[in-house]
Amino acid sequence: MVVKRSGQRQPFDRAKVVAGVRAAAKNRPIGTEAMETLAAEVEEQVRLDGPEVTSQHLGRAVLEQLRTLDDVAYLRFASVYKGFADAGDFEREVGLLTKATQPKRH
């Protein structure tokens, strides 16, 4: 079950995860199979976390998977999930994304 911000409970729906990823990945080189795999991995992850998860936890799980799949899709999903209000929010997130994905220099 997914507990929404309103407190409403809904069954987990993998198709909703795929639809959200598909919207974020529009015009990006991400195939349907990759989206389905991402949704299956998110589903497995949240199932391991217990019988109920919050929609916020689910959104973070999707973001973690998107981070490794496609930077642009990640930023698009993050902009909706985190409620970006202006360009500064994008700049901050790009900085975090770049910092998290750059290899460490020796």
Side-chain angles (χ1 to χ4, degrees):
M1 295 299 286
V2 177
V3 181
K4 301 184 94 46
R5 291 178 188 182
S6 67
Q8 181 184 12
R9 287 172 165 69
Q10 293 183 341
F12 175 85
D13 185 351
R14 188 188 301 185
K16 286 185 177 182
V17 174
V18 172
V21 171
R22 182 172 285 119
K26 186 175 181 178
N27 298 322
R28 299 297 303 156
I30 301 172
T32 302
E33 185 176 320
M35 291 181 215
E36 291 286 345
T37 299
L38 181 148
E41 289 173 2
V42 166
E43 181 176 14
E44 180 63 25
Q45 180 182 345
V46 298
R47 283 195 192 283
L48 293 173
D49 293 335
E52 282 192 351
V53 295
T54 64
S55 57
Q56 295 90 341
H57 180 74
L58 183 59
R60 284 192 303 272
V62 171
L63 279 174
E64 287 174 20
Q65 295 294 324
L66 275 175
R67 180 180 302 235
T68 61
L69 188 62
D70 186 86
D71 291 349
V72 173
Y74 168 87
L75 287 170
R76 289 175 178 168
F77 192 90
S79 71
V80 174
Y81 170 72
K82 295 183 176 185
F84 288 6
D86 57 34
D89 292 336
F90 279 95
E91 290 172 2
R92 183 189 73 251
E93 197 67 33
V94 167
L96 292 172
L97 179 63
T98 303
K99 185 177 181 181
T101 58
Q102 280 185 342
K104 294 188 179 359
R105 293 186 178 150
H106 296 279

